[in-house]
Amino acid sequence: MTETFSRWDAAGQLRTREDTRLYLEARADEDPGNGSLIRAALNDVARVGNMAGLAREA
């Protein structure tokens, strides 16, 4: 029997502002110091909402 895997997408798990806040905090804590995880997390958050809406809130 062969196992198949699908790519996990964090954006599918971010349903509330609290989910998003906790996700961003966790990624910031885990970041190795070069900002790579923070950039990836911000990309995920931008995909969940629309980029224009995120820009208006910022």
Side-chain angles (χ1 to χ4, degrees):
M1 184 171 154
T2 304
E3 290 186 59
T4 58
F5 297 93
S6 60
R7 188 171 182 96
W8 184 77
D9 186 10
Q13 305 301 312
L14 302 176
R15 295 184 180 93
T16 66
R17 287 183 183 259
E18 181 70 4
D19 292 342
T20 302
R21 183 185 67 78
L22 292 171
Y23 177 63
L24 289 172
E25 283 181 6
R27 299 314 276 183
D29 290 343
E30 296 168 1
D31 190 74
N34 63 6
S36 60
L37 293 180
I38 295 170
R39 282 191 303 275
L42 289 173
N43 182 37
D44 292 336
V45 171
R47 286 187 299 116
V48 169
N50 63 36
M51 188 59 108
L54 182 65
R56 275 193 302 275
E57 285 187 29

